[in-house]
Amino acid sequence: MDRARPRSLYLSPEIWEAGRKRAKKHRMKISRFGWLCCERAAREAAAPAQPAGHALVLPAGDQQCLDAGAQRLARFGEGAVSAADGRETAVLQQEVLRFLRLSAGGEDA
């Protein structure tokens, strides 16, 4: 820790008093307490809040089923869609893309 050059900190009287009380509670000088608080805030700002990417919202089994459907759609140009009553139907790739465009608010192609 290099503190060869003095630094000034300007705070409102209420914040200054609250900091002084917290420093006294931890048995530290207010300058040391302020330094530690700033150091901790810099560490927290540098660390990413969440890991990169998106959190998984589907269970692993559903993820695998979705992946298998996407692979089939890419390979054969059609995919299977299951209804609530257990029946399945084949859906063409063009129909899937049109549905996605319409649900995203795009123009009808």
Side-chain angles (χ1 to χ4, degrees):
M1 176 168 74
D2 182 25
R3 294 195 301 176
R5 202 168 133 195
R7 307 268 194 263
S8 297
L9 185 62
Y10 299 99
L11 301 169
S12 68
E14 297 85 26
I15 295 175
W16 184 263
E17 186 61 28
R20 188 188 66 73
K21 286 180 182 178
R22 287 181 63 197
K24 187 175 181 181
K25 178 182 171 186
H26 292 286
R27 297 183 183 138
M28 291 183 187
K29 292 182 179 180
I30 191 157
S31 58
R32 176 74 177 146
F33 183 74
W35 175 270
L36 291 174
C37 288
C38 291
E39 197 174 51
R40 186 181 77 191
R43 260 195 328 267
E44 288 174 359
Q50 293 182 353
H54 300 284
L56 293 177
V57 268
L58 295 175
D62 291 347
Q63 286 279 342
Q64 291 170 350
C65 182
L66 186 63
D67 182 53
Q71 294 292 333
R72 179 179 172 181
L73 185 64
R75 205 174 292 133
F76 302 113
E78 68 177 24
V81 177
S82 299
D85 59 359
R87 294 182 300 166
E88 283 195 3
T89 185
V91 181
L92 297 177
Q93 187 175 13
Q94 294 85 357
E95 294 171 339
V96 173
L97 292 174
R98 183 171 180 268
F99 173 77
L100 290 174
R101 279 193 210 113
L102 290 173
S103 65
E107 297 292 322
D108 187 18

